[in-house]
């Protein structure tokens, strides 16, 4: 196959940042995707419906002329989020999910949840109105090895949560392990997962090829090859619980190339092309459309997109760096070749 046409995809996990940084990265996503679930980890975080509406307005105002792109907003869950805020969010029609970050787990997660017990009432409100909970699935216990934090999260947090809240819809975001793939595959239909392109394409060796590679550092960190293979297996399986979420997370070059570099990989410049490469390598291009364009809206109860996009097999070179407002960023595969191109 040298050309493939699929329903226009959506990105179910995206970081757009704000202001000039947002204006720099938004066109990459809007060119490829019809909609995206926009992460709320701004500084300060998007904790209320009012803040989400304002952020949505800023995104829409920054869209290139003629772009038909819809930002799907999320709320940042804190220890103090109230059930009434969930009901307000649902009524707004523009907030589509609530994001759980364990306090301290990753970029701008200081206001995250310290104790899930404090969120019981909020989860009950989410169950009643059918609002999905999106999870950054890593424990923050410093005694747990960084490479085990997702696996331990499944046992300590996710399994009891899914059990206690029998109607709660959850998306385990950016899964990185065989254990997470298995957990989701065997859970009830209300439990789903997103998978990034970079976790389908690299394993943890990519962090250390010839030296330390900060542009391959993200959270959850890439795992061993056997885990990457398990992710590819479920991504191409046709199981509707697994769908596309890039977790494209732009950071200025100097904030990654430093003694305590930020976590995050920028993939929006090739947001669908990278998935095409991963599915092609698994000889499963025929499964790309379900994963990229159908299963996400089905889970969120939204209509599938009606337009199409076409990808063709033709090599192109990724720039060494991209403008990022007043800064620069280093995109995934910088200076390297990509095999698929958006027509
Ligand atoms: O690598 C990551 N980057 N993981 C996250 O959870 C957050 C994200 C970001 O906002 O940069
Ligand atoms: Zn993310």
């Amino acid at each position: 196959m040298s050309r493939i046409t699929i329903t226009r995809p959506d990105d179910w996990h995206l970081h757009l940042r704000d202001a000039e940084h947002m204006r720099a990265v938004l066109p990459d996503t809007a060119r490829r995707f019809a909609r995206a679930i926009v992460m709320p980890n701004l500084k300060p975080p998007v904790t209320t419906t009012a803040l989400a509406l304002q952020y949505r307005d800023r995104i829409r105002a920054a869209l290139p002329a003629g772009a038909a792109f819809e930002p799907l907003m999320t709320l940042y869950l804190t220890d103090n989020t109230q059930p009434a805020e969930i009901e307000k969010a649902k009524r707004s029609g523009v907030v589509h999910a609530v994001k759980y970050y364990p306090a301290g787990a990753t970029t701008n997660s200081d206001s995250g949840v310290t104790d899930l017990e404090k969120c019981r009432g909020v989860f009950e409100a989410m169950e009643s109105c059918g609002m999905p909970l999106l999870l950054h699935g890593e424990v923050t216990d410093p005694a747990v090895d960084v490479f085990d934090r997702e696996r331990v999260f499944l046992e300590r947090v996710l399994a009891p949560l899914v059990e206690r809240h029998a109607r709660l819809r959850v998306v385990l975001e950016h899964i990185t392990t065989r254990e997470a793939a298995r957990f989701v595959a065997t859970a009830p239909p209300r439990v789903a997962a997103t998978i990034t392109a970079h976790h389908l394409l690299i394993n943890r060796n990519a962090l250390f090829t010839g030296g330390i590679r900060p542009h391959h550092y993200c959270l959850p960190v890439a795992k061993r090859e056997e885990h990457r293979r398990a992710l590819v297996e479920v991504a191409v399986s046709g199981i509707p619980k697994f769908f596309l979420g890039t977790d494209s997370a732009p950071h200025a070059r100097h904030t990654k190339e430093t003694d305590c570099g930020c976590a995050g990989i920028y993939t929006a410049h090739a947001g669908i092309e990278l998935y095409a490469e991963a599915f092609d390598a698994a000889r499963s291009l025929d499964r790309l459309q379900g994963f990229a364009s159908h299963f996400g809206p089905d889970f969120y109860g939204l209509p599938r997109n009606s337009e199409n996009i076409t990808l063709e097999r033709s090599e192109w070179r990724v720039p060494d760096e991209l403008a990022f407002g007043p800064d620069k960023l280093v995109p995934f595969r910088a200076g390297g070749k990509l095999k698929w191109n958006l027509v």
Side-chain angles (χ1 to χ4, degrees), residues 13 15 39 99 101 174 247:
H13 184 127
H15 297 271
M39 287 299 122
K99 178 69 189 272
Y101 286 104
H174 41 55
D247 197 16

Short mmCIF file of all heavy atoms in Angstrom, two decimals, residues 13 15 39 99 101 174 247, ligand 2:
data_model
loop_
_atom_site.label_atom_id
_atom_site.label_comp_id
_atom_site.label_asym_id
_atom_site.label_seq_id
_atom_site.Cartn_x
_atom_site.Cartn_y
_atom_site.Cartn_z
N HIS A 13 -5.35 13.22 23.36
CA HIS A 13 -4.47 13.67 24.48
C HIS A 13 -3.41 14.61 23.91
O HIS A 13 -2.48 14.17 23.25
CB HIS A 13 -3.80 12.47 25.16
CG HIS A 13 -2.98 12.86 26.35
ND1 HIS A 13 -3.16 12.26 27.58
CD2 HIS A 13 -2.00 13.77 26.52
CE1 HIS A 13 -2.31 12.80 28.44
NE2 HIS A 13 -1.59 13.71 27.82
N HIS A 15 -1.08 18.47 24.51
CA HIS A 15 -0.68 19.67 25.26
C HIS A 15 -0.49 20.81 24.28
O HIS A 15 0.35 20.73 23.39
CB HIS A 15 0.63 19.42 26.02
CG HIS A 15 0.50 18.35 27.05
ND1 HIS A 15 0.11 18.62 28.34
CD2 HIS A 15 0.65 17.01 26.97
CE1 HIS A 15 0.05 17.48 29.03
NE2 HIS A 15 0.37 16.49 28.21
N MET A 39 -5.07 19.14 27.24
CA MET A 39 -4.69 18.95 28.65
C MET A 39 -4.73 20.28 29.41
O MET A 39 -4.40 21.34 28.85
CB MET A 39 -3.29 18.35 28.72
CG MET A 39 -3.26 16.90 28.33
SD MET A 39 -4.28 15.90 29.44
CE MET A 39 -5.41 15.17 28.28
N LYS A 99 -9.07 15.54 34.26
CA LYS A 99 -7.74 14.92 34.25
C LYS A 99 -7.18 14.79 35.65
O LYS A 99 -7.13 15.76 36.40
CB LYS A 99 -6.78 15.77 33.39
CG LYS A 99 -5.34 15.26 33.34
CD LYS A 99 -5.22 13.95 32.59
CE LYS A 99 -3.83 13.33 32.72
NZ LYS A 99 -2.89 13.79 31.73
N TYR A 101 -3.92 14.09 37.78
CA TYR A 101 -2.47 13.95 37.91
C TYR A 101 -2.17 13.67 39.37
O TYR A 101 -2.59 14.45 40.25
CB TYR A 101 -1.76 15.27 37.56
CG TYR A 101 -1.71 15.64 36.10
CD1 TYR A 101 -2.54 16.62 35.59
CD2 TYR A 101 -0.79 15.04 35.24
CE1 TYR A 101 -2.48 16.98 34.25
CE2 TYR A 101 -0.72 15.40 33.90
CZ TYR A 101 -1.58 16.37 33.42
OH TYR A 101 -1.51 16.73 32.10
N HIS A 174 -1.67 7.49 27.79
CA HIS A 174 -0.30 7.17 27.35
C HIS A 174 0.28 5.93 28.02
O HIS A 174 1.26 6.00 28.75
CB HIS A 174 0.64 8.37 27.54
CG HIS A 174 0.46 9.15 28.83
ND1 HIS A 174 0.53 8.57 30.06
CD2 HIS A 174 0.24 10.46 29.04
CE1 HIS A 174 0.35 9.50 30.99
NE2 HIS A 174 0.17 10.66 30.39
N ASP A 247 -0.11 12.82 23.13
CA ASP A 247 0.63 13.42 24.25
C ASP A 247 1.75 14.31 23.73
O ASP A 247 2.80 14.42 24.36
CB ASP A 247 1.17 12.35 25.21
CG ASP A 247 1.56 12.94 26.56
OD1 ASP A 247 1.15 14.07 26.88
OD2 ASP A 247 2.30 12.27 27.30
ZN1 LIG B 2 0.17 14.47 28.65
#
